[in-house]
Amino acid sequence: MTDYKRALAEIARGHSLTLSSVPDGFDAFVAADFARLLASKAHGRAAVLVHVARDGQRARAFEEAVAFAAPDLELLDFPAWDCQPYDRVSPNAAIAARRMTVLSRLARSNSSEERPRILSTTVNALMQRVPPLKWISAESFSAAPGNAIEMDSLVRWLETNGFLRSSTVRETGEYAVRGGILDLYAPGMLAPIRLDFFGDTLESIRAFDAESQRTTGQLRALDLVPMSEVQLTTETMKRFRQAYITQFGAQTRGDMLYEAVSEGRRHAGMEHWLPLFYGTADTLFDYVGDAPIFLDALAEDAATERLSQIKDYYDARKEQHDSDPARSPYKPLAPDALYLSPAEWSRALETGPTLRFSPFEVPAAANVIDCGGHIGR
């Protein structure tokens, strides 16, 4: 624990460290110890520790280990999109919901929260730009039984924020309206809920089973976050059209993406032009502030590979677009608009405290702490 305290002092100074002798599995115990120490020194601030795995498989293994090693901690899981850079499809709705739930949770953090928290993510997720923090902070919908709420207003909010209308609600992101009842399966919820209205008054919020449609419990409040990282409002649609024309020219006839957004319709893959809707985009670093970043072994190698992959995908799209710009079916944004550049990635890791896990013993040095973990007995 003495070395941990020394490490904590180095973190407070913004210094970077190598944590040696940390084999796979043991990293969860080390991260949990640091999370508790950070929370004890937070002095009323919401404390968060960020663990960056080299890929999704390693992230899941780390999360399972944390759940076993430290069930008292709050574990936030921020996954990467399940589609390739410059793809024609949108990320899976369930993944988008998980991402938006975490971003909303981070945006609403306040000084009254004392529970230690670990944010688990991957290199791919950390390198990708996300909706602006100020938009996530403002865009939510809260209600409780007895509140005056127009159902039409709630339906408009759901449509604007990526929810899909369905006859029967069974999957996350779906909603259904039947008279004065609105069924909804929101991100972060274990079961769908049923909102019962009497006129413009919300009378009750009940959880129900998606298969049997029977009520399973009552809720005292409702707190919704968007299903999609792209919000379609009059303002965002106008901003997109202006930015799209500035970026790619005024030849938009037959452009299915441009026409869909102009008509207020969601288009498959529109998230790959996310900055055009908001005028800017943030990164996960903006949401976590000066939180210490714990890098999985080989995470930086994975980042180098990812940057190369992004460039390859962009070059392929750009070559196709340049061959016939007027008829190009895909107009790609520059990589720096959607992802961290190599310089930004390096600068982000150098700006705040970064702790690199190594499964091996590393020669003693001022910036090395041996955590004493070994494989086997």
Side-chain angles (χ1 to χ4, degrees), residues 40 43 49 91 94 129 158 181 185 216 223 227 230 321-322 345:
S40 69
H43 303 300
L49 174 155
R129 300 190 189 278
L158 295 173
I181 294 176
Y185 207 155
T216 58
D223 196 10
M227 266 293 299
V230 171
H321 170 68
D322 289 347
W345 169 258

Side-chain angles (χ1 to χ4, degrees), residues 50-369:
V50 182
H51 178 268
V52 185
R54 55 184 177 266
D55 55 38
Q57 184 177 353
R58 280 287 301 140
R60 288 189 293 274
F62 174 80
E63 290 155 15
E64 290 173 0
V66 169
F68 171 79
D72 57 306
L73 302 185
E74 180 183 9
L75 181 61
L76 302 179
D77 163 32
F78 188 77
W81 285 0
D82 62 335
C83 51
Q84 299 293 347
Y86 299 99
D87 212 335
R88 292 180 180 273
V89 299
S90 298
N92 179 272
I95 287 178
R98 285 162 58 193
R99 288 167 58 90
M100 294 304 294
T101 299
V102 171
L103 291 179
S104 179
R105 187 81 180 87
L106 293 172
R108 299 181 190 180
S109 296
N110 58 66
S111 60
S112 64
E113 299 180 49
E114 300 177 356
R115 189 181 179 193
R117 178 190 303 164
I118 293 178
L119 171 61
S120 171
T121 189
T122 64
V123 167
N124 289 2
L126 188 59
M127 297 188 75
Q128 184 174 345
R129 300 190 189 278
V130 296
L133 173 60
K134 63 180 182 181
W135 173 72
I136 294 290
S137 300
E139 193 57 42
S140 63
F141 191 100
S142 301
N147 290 169
I149 300 171
E150 291 184 4
M151 183 186 287
D152 289 345
S153 297
L154 176 54
V155 168
R156 284 195 297 272
W157 187 93
L158 295 173
E159 292 283 351
T160 296
N161 288 285
F163 288 78
L164 300 176
R165 190 158 187 160
S166 174
S167 58
T168 303
V169 171
R170 298 189 185 279
E171 302 290 338
T172 301
E174 294 181 342
Y175 78 95
V177 178
R178 298 189 308 279
I181 294 176
L182 189 150
D183 290 349
L184 170 68
Y185 207 155
M189 291 191 170
L190 300 177
I193 56 173
R194 181 160 291 149
L195 283 66
D196 198 345
F197 289 84
F198 182 76
D200 289 338
T201 300
L202 177 60
E203 287 199 319
S204 66
I205 306 173
R206 294 170 289 165
F208 67 92
D209 181 80
E211 295 299 324
S212 67
Q213 299 289 302
R214 292 182 178 178
T215 298
T216 58
Q218 296 279 344
L219 282 75
R220 286 189 265 181
L222 174 65
D223 196 10
L224 299 177
V225 298
M227 266 293 299
S228 171
E229 294 178 46
V230 171
Q231 184 190 45
L232 286 182
T233 65
T234 302
E235 181 182 352
T236 59
M237 288 159 54
K238 178 181 178 182
R239 187 181 291 120
F240 170 86
R241 291 195 300 270
Q242 292 174 341
Y244 196 81
I245 290 173
T246 300
Q247 188 82 25
F248 304 112
Q251 181 61 40
T252 58
R253 186 173 183 178
D255 189 317
M256 292 186 290
L257 170 65
Y258 184 87
E259 291 177 354
V261 173
S262 297
E263 296 169 6
R265 294 185 287 109
R266 293 193 167 271
H267 186 76
M270 63 190 292
E271 291 84 358
H272 297 275
W273 288 266
L274 182 143
L276 303 189
F277 290 89
Y278 303 109
T280 184
D282 288 341
T283 69
L284 204 54
F285 288 106
D286 296 303
Y287 282 78
V288 300
D290 58 356
I293 307 296
F294 283 63
L295 290 180
D296 189 14
L298 303 180
E300 288 171 288
D301 291 341
T304 300
E305 292 178 10
R306 181 62 169 177
L307 288 167
S308 177
Q309 182 188 45
I310 291 168
K311 183 179 184 301
D312 288 344
Y313 277 104
Y314 171 73
D315 287 346
R317 290 294 191 191
K318 187 70 164 56
E319 182 179 357
Q320 182 186 32
H321 170 68
D322 289 347
S323 65
D324 189 356
R327 297 182 181 180
S328 174
Y330 197 109
K331 299 178 173 67
L333 290 177
D336 291 1
L338 299 171
Y339 304 92
L340 292 177
S341 67
E344 287 177 308
W345 169 258
S346 299
R347 188 163 55 250
L349 296 182
E350 294 170 358
T351 300
T354 300
L355 295 91
R356 295 169 171 84
F357 282 128
S358 172
F360 309 108
E361 291 187 19
V362 178
N367 66 334
V368 174
I369 291 180

